[in-house]
Amino acid sequence: MPPKENAKEENPNYFTWTQLLVAVSVSLCSFCTGFCGAYTSPALPSMKGDDGKFSITSQEESWVGGLMPLACLVGGILGGLLIMYIGRKWTIMITAPPFIIGWLLIGFATAIGMVLAGRVFCGLAVGLATLVLPVYLGETLHPNVRGTLGLMPTLLGNGGLLLCYAFGSFLNWYLLAFAGAIFCIPFIILTLFVPETPRYLLSRGKTEKAQKSLAWLRGKTGDVEAEMKELASTQGETANAKSTYGDMFKKRNRKPILISLGLMLFQQMSGINVVIFYTHQIFLDAGSTIKPAIATVIVGVVNFVATLIATAVIDRVGRKVLLYISDTTMIITLFTLAIFFFGKHKDWDLSGVGWLPLVAAGFYVLGFSVGFGPIPWLMMGEIMPASVRAPAASVATAFNWLCTFIVTKTYMDMISLINSYGAFSVYCVCCIIGMLFVIFFVPETKGKSLEQIEAELTGGKE
């Protein structure tokens, strides 16, 4: 441990412009995922309205929203193999073709089947991206800036979401799809110039390339030799996929994997993707005095600003504090929404509080975006042991999207059975349980190397 302290004294500035370039370049892929995730909110009303080229039933409408998460699940599973065999960087690059194909299918659609097929292609790309980006950044960024720069995918993802909401206020559904295809171009170009992760190169026996990659990332003042020694001494990955997948079930690996799965579960059971996918419809159902299209954009702005705040403070206050703030805010706002919709169901006079759904939804999204939005993905890249990082991250990603599919696909059914107030009450209870999970099971990872985190969670034993 003393050598590590000395290294910190010699190189107190852990930020480098190359790390920022890497984070921004690959996170532009996340911008595309945010645009894709937000698409249904402005597009479905346009698709059903005067701009519709074909009729769409309520069941088909639910599939437009619900099919993408199901495809993301498949993308997450495929990504686990890709990041082991072709590397982290090229898995990011591979997301581009399905994104572009998907958007073009939607843009040129003459039947609902083409829209659904497009959502499947986009979903595969989103599934790949949500798996590989946390792993890539977790393996390239210095521990002291990993929180801040590691949230860049979430920040730019929310930027994509906001832009989709804004463009959706004046573009119809097929022009919005063409815009989605165009936004894929910048990340393709920039990602070509970033290096593969040093840890992946080491796992393939490419020590010289790993050292060059690390030297480029850390800059001239970085203590590359000391970091390389630490990486080499703890490098547990293997090219043998079968043994790697088998390692997932070893006792030492269960705790970090279960923690990651728990964070993914409570992230989605908070109901966030219901709010994101159906923002426009929620405000219509609430009878809000504010136009749904405007309210949707406001929610997108709040989402972006909240993530910007989290990015600025996460390496100072830590992961758990932000998770506490996040969960508390979501519990209060979901309870408020439940009460509002209950009053609407009981025909209370709510004309004086028509603004309440927007305020509650805005604070709900703010709460989610400072903690439970970005941190489960960030920690997935931090807490997974090296020997099972690829398959375990694949399982966590697939599980997240399975939960997303279940939540988004059952939302309309929940409204039919227990009304909107019942649905928001269920999400509120899930957030309360999630708070207890964070208190008792989630570790703090601020400022720790991946090797330190692994040693603490696994006991450092095979």
Side-chain angles (χ1 to χ4, degrees):
M1 299 308 290
K4 204 173 292 181
E5 290 173 8
N6 293 339
K8 282 188 178 183
E9 287 171 9
E10 291 167 13
N11 180 29
N13 184 15
Y14 303 105
F15 173 85
T16 61
W17 289 105
T18 48
Q19 288 183 91
L20 177 62
L21 175 63
V22 161
V24 172
S25 298
V26 300
S27 296
L28 285 171
C29 178
S30 189
F31 180 93
C32 298
T33 71
F35 197 95
C36 187
Y39 176 76
T40 53
S41 184
L44 283 174
S46 169
M47 206 176 285
K48 294 185 293 181
D50 296 335
D51 294 315
K53 298 179 181 179
F54 41 81
S55 60
I56 177 171
T57 67
S58 58
Q59 193 60 230
E60 288 169 340
E61 181 183 349
S62 74
W63 276 110
V64 173
L67 195 57
M68 191 197 84
L70 198 60
C72 290
L73 188 159
V74 178
I77 294 171
L78 291 175
L81 296 173
L82 289 173
I83 64 175
M84 282 194 290
Y85 288 115
I86 68 171
R88 283 56 161 150
K89 172 183 173 176
W90 289 104
T91 301
I92 296 173
M93 294 295 296
I94 277 177
T95 63
F99 261 134
I100 294 172
I101 292 168
W103 284 124
L104 293 179
L105 276 170
I106 296 170
F108 289 113
T110 54
I112 189 62
M114 290 180 70
V115 174
L116 295 176
R119 292 294 281 174
V120 168
F121 274 100
C122 286
L124 288 171
V126 171
L128 286 170
T130 50
L131 162 69
V132 68
L133 293 179
V135 173
Y136 180 89
L137 292 175
E139 292 184 348
T140 54
L141 301 176
H142 191 280
N144 288 63
V145 296
R146 193 175 59 232
T148 299
L149 296 183
L151 290 193
M152 197 64 71
T154 306
L155 179 65
L156 292 189
N158 288 336
L161 181 145
L162 173 59
L163 202 65
C164 185
Y165 283 163
F167 277 30
S169 65
F170 61 86
L171 293 180
N172 62 36
W173 63 273
Y174 51 87
L175 291 178
L176 194 60
F178 291 136
I182 292 169
F183 287 132
C184 295
I185 297 171
F187 101 78
I188 299 172
I189 296 170
L190 287 174
T191 305
L192 283 170
F193 299 100
V194 304
E196 181 55 85
T197 75
R199 284 174 175 82
Y200 177 77
L201 292 169
L202 270 178
S203 75
R204 292 296 177 264
K206 300 176 181 179
T207 306
E208 188 176 339
K209 286 186 177 181
Q211 187 151 0
K212 286 182 180 178
S213 173
L214 190 62
W216 187 86
L217 289 164
R218 299 295 181 258
K220 294 180 180 179
T221 58
D223 190 354
V224 175
E225 287 189 15
E227 195 169 346
M228 276 293 294
K229 285 179 181 178
E230 185 178 19
L231 291 181
S233 66
T234 58
Q235 185 54 245
E237 284 192 320
T238 173
N240 187 325
K242 289 185 179 179
S243 64
T244 304
Y245 271 98
D247 285 345
M248 282 181 59
F249 302 100
K250 287 184 177 180
K251 186 177 180 181
R252 71 186 298 270
N253 295 326
R254 288 178 202 160
K255 184 177 178 180
I257 292 172
L258 288 174
I259 290 170
S260 184
L261 292 177
L263 287 170
M264 296 300 188
L265 174 67
F266 291 113
Q267 180 197 68
Q268 292 307 317
M269 292 309 292
S270 69
I272 183 61
N273 276 302
V274 166
V275 175
I276 297 301
F277 286 13
Y278 299 109
T279 307
H280 195 283
Q281 191 63 44
I282 288 169
F283 285 115
L284 282 176
D285 292 344
S288 175
T289 54
I290 299 168
K291 288 183 179 180
I294 296 173
T296 299
V297 173
I298 292 172
V299 168
V301 171
V302 170
N303 195 16
F304 181 79
V305 171
T307 310
L308 195 61
I309 294 168
T311 302
V313 303
I314 189 168
D315 277 324
R316 296 173 189 169
V317 303
R319 283 61 162 159
K320 291 193 73 166
V321 170
L322 289 180
L323 287 172
Y324 294 149
I325 294 170
S326 176
D327 232 336
T328 302
T329 306
M330 289 193 293
I331 289 166
I332 294 170
T333 51
L334 285 168
F335 181 73
T336 302
L337 283 170
I339 293 296
F340 180 89
F341 278 101
F342 179 78
K344 190 171 183 294
H345 179 69
K346 294 294 184 180
D347 295 322
W348 295 351
D349 181 11
L350 300 171
S351 57
V353 289
W355 47 267
L356 189 59
L358 174 59
V359 172
F363 274 99
Y364 166 81
V365 169
L366 187 151
F368 178 84
S369 299
V370 299
F372 258 95
I375 290 176
W377 294 110
L378 175 68
M379 292 191 72
M380 182 187 79
E382 291 181 325
I383 67 175
M384 295 300 191
S387 61
V388 294
R389 188 165 294 137
S394 174
V395 168
T397 301
F399 179 71
N400 181 284
W401 286 111
L402 175 62
C403 294
T404 305
F405 171 73
I406 292 170
V407 171
T408 52
K409 190 69 180 69
T410 57
Y411 173 63
M412 294 296 186
D413 297 325
M414 284 179 71
I415 289 178
S416 299
L417 289 172
I418 57 176
N419 212 300
S420 295
Y421 65 84
F424 287 117
S425 297
V426 169
Y427 301 144
C428 182
V429 170
C430 289
C431 286
I432 293 171
I433 300 171
M435 174 72 88
L436 297 173
F437 177 80
V438 172
I439 292 170
F440 293 109
F441 298 108
V442 177
E444 181 55 73
T445 58
K446 180 184 72 170
K448 298 176 182 176
S449 71
L450 300 188
E451 291 69 35
Q452 285 176 294
I453 296 167
E454 179 173 345
E456 290 175 10
L457 290 177
T458 64
K461 298 175 183 178
E462 288 293 337

